């Protein structure tokens, strides 16, 4: 029983320590200025969903934003 709890603890620790800070970066198609979004944390399993959310800014902005992508947080 202790072995199972130890294994569970180590695996949870491994997943939480892999998170990195990212930010969504988009270009305004009218002015050409680059805007950087808020800091977001994503791990190896959630990075794809975070990137998809960032890319959806292209559709939600009625064409004002383009080339939205994730970059390492600066």
């Amino acid at each position: 029983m202790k072995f199972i709890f130890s294994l569970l603890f180590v695996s949870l620790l491994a997943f939480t320590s892999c998170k990195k800070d990212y930010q969504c970066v988009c270009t305004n198609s009218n002015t050409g200025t680059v805007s950087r979004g808020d800091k977001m944390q994503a791990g190896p399993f959630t990075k794809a969903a975070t990137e998809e959310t960032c890319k959806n800014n292209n559709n939600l902005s009625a064409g004002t934003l383009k080339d939205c992508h994730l970059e390492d947080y600066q």
Side-chain angles (χ1 to χ4, degrees):
M1 191 68 155
K2 286 183 181 181
F3 176 73
I4 293 172
F5 286 124
S6 298
L7 185 62
L8 181 63
F9 178 74
V10 169
S11 63
L12 287 175
L13 185 63
F15 287 124
T16 58
S17 64
C18 296
K19 289 186 177 183
K20 283 184 67 178
D21 293 331
Y22 297 101
Q23 65 187 151
C24 187
V25 178
C26 300
T27 303
N28 187 316
S29 59
N30 296 331
T31 62
T33 59
V34 175
S35 63
R36 297 182 176 277
D38 294 333
K39 178 172 75 169
M40 300 175 277
Q41 282 191 337
F45 299 111
T46 58
K47 184 179 179 193
T50 305
E51 182 130 30
E52 190 64 31
T53 301
C54 178
K55 287 181 182 181
N56 283 338
N57 286 333
N58 294 334
N59 302 331
L60 297 175
S61 66
T64 306
L65 298 177
K66 65 177 183 176
D67 302 327
C68 293
H69 61 281
L70 281 185
E71 288 185 1
D72 291 338
Y73 183 74
Q74 298 177 356

